[in-house]
Amino acid sequence: MRQIDRRPFVFALVLYLLAWLLGFPIRAQSAPLKDLECTLILDAASGETLYRQGICDQRFSPASTFKVPLALIGYDAGILSDEHTPAWDYKPEFNAVKRDQKTVDPTIWEKDSVLWFSREITRRLGSERFAGYVSKFDYGNTDVSGTPGKNDGLTRSWVNSSLKISPVEQVDFLRRLLDRKLPVSDKAYAMTEAILPTFRAGGWTVQGKTGTTRLGDSGDKRSLGWFVGWANKDTRNIVFARLVIDTKRSDTPKGPQTRAIFLKELPNLINKSK
């Protein structure tokens, strides 16, 4: 019978034990990344669930949907004044993509989803006030610490970093916004509603914000797309959250793509809830 050389196995075991003792990460074979979707629609007044499909209680980065609470914060703190004030000029140190290298006011900020404008708001707030608002809003996991070791919570925590929120928490926050149950001024509510983009969907007037990002580290190539907001038709008022996460590549940013599909489907989704 042929002798089996056990030395490679012993060597591998020794390396494994050394890695474990020294605290190095030991990675198992990762499971395939799965696509994920959620569509959640609630009656704005009663909170009754009108439509729910998919996984809706898992938290992910809010990405640019965070511009909704950030608008409330900016107006309440006096950093933003009205729909078109302040209008801040672009500076090279903002290092923005070409389409965002322009003068931006609050309306343009929400419509074009300009990241550097968000960062200017949070810089003017400062870390303590920023964290205080997010905590008082009870927004998602309320964690604005940012990436460990990078000290970027003030400028990046809501973009694929520490701050995370689920679709269930998104619609809860939106209901509290519409019910005026957040600790901000009347002006903050009015101005936020004034600058949030408006759309039409089969007789429904819809106001909402998209969000787009890439998830995780280099091993997670999935795209995330949000569309969250509220809508009304006649006497009916709803809040909604649509979340799509998948591995498909697209020329269209995932957020606007998610919005377009949701707006097309909304009237039928509401009819199904009757």
Side-chain angles (χ1 to χ4, degrees):
M1 182 181 294
R2 186 167 64 89
Q3 287 278 66
I4 298 175
D5 187 354
R6 291 184 172 85
R7 286 175 296 178
F9 300 100
V10 173
F11 184 66
L13 179 60
V14 169
L15 286 178
Y16 182 92
L17 289 172
L18 280 172
W20 179 75
L21 288 169
L22 293 173
F24 294 133
I26 300 170
R27 293 181 180 270
Q29 182 67 33
S30 58
L33 297 172
K34 294 182 178 180
D35 294 351
L36 181 148
E37 288 193 17
C38 166
T39 302
L40 182 59
I41 303 173
L42 268 59
D43 181 89
S46 69
E48 177 190 356
T49 299
L50 302 177
Y51 184 89
R52 177 169 178 161
Q53 186 174 56
I55 300 172
C56 298
D57 54 5
Q58 189 170 339
R59 286 171 169 166
F60 292 94
S61 169
S64 283
T65 66
F66 187 66
K67 289 182 175 68
V68 179
L70 191 53
L72 289 170
I73 294 169
Y75 283 114
D76 187 69
I79 296 169
L80 307 180
S81 300
D82 57 37
E83 293 100 318
H84 302 292
T85 310
W88 291 330
D89 294 330
Y90 175 76
K91 298 177 182 178
E93 57 262 35
F94 294 160
N95 196 28
V97 296
K98 188 172 182 180
R99 73 175 182 87
D100 292 343
Q101 297 177 12
K102 59 190 177 185
T103 300
V104 176
D105 66 19
T107 300
I108 295 171
W109 167 52
E110 291 283 0
K111 179 175 71 71
D112 294 348
S113 211
V114 180
L115 178 58
W116 69 256
F117 196 95
S118 298
R119 289 173 170 168
E120 285 302 290
I121 294 173
T122 56
R123 283 193 186 104
R124 285 164 168 77
L125 275 169
S127 297
E128 188 174 338
R129 292 177 75 197
F130 177 49
Y133 270 110
V134 175
S135 177
K136 287 186 290 186
F137 285 4
D138 194 24
Y139 185 85
N141 66 355
T142 71
D143 183 355
V144 292
S145 61
T147 309
K150 291 193 175 181
N151 192 31
D152 61 359
L154 189 59
T155 58
R156 193 169 178 83
S157 55
W158 63 92
V159 186
N160 197 21
S161 185
S162 59
L163 187 62
K164 298 183 187 300
I165 191 168
S166 69
V168 169
E169 291 168 324
Q170 288 270 26
V171 295
D172 173 70
F173 170 77
L174 293 168
R175 284 192 65 223
R176 287 184 287 128
L177 187 162
L178 293 179
D179 287 344
R180 303 293 194 265
K181 291 183 177 178
L182 297 168
V184 296
S185 64
D186 289 340
K187 178 181 178 179
Y189 288 118
M191 288 293 97
T192 296
E193 292 184 19
I195 66 173
L196 203 65
T198 301
F199 309 90
R200 299 289 294 176
W204 287 86
T205 300
V206 183
Q207 284 192 273
K209 188 72 195 73
T210 58
T212 303
T213 191
R214 282 277 184 183
L215 287 181
D217 55 24
S218 59
D220 192 341
K221 299 295 186 183
R222 294 178 297 172
S223 297
L224 174 149
W226 283 105
F227 184 48
V228 307
W230 55 83
N232 63 79
K233 179 182 180 182
D234 302 325
T235 59
R236 302 190 72 186
N237 295 282
I238 63 169
V239 292
F240 63 84
R242 165 69 66 87
L243 173 66
V244 177
I245 295 173
D246 63 36
T247 54
K248 300 182 184 70
R249 292 186 177 275
S250 171
D251 294 334
T252 307
K254 187 62 66 176
Q257 190 179 79
T258 301
R259 178 185 65 205
I261 295 171
F262 179 80
L263 291 174
K264 184 177 180 180
E265 294 177 352
L266 176 60
N268 288 332
L269 296 178
I270 293 296
N271 288 337
K272 286 179 183 179
S273 71
K274 290 181 178 179

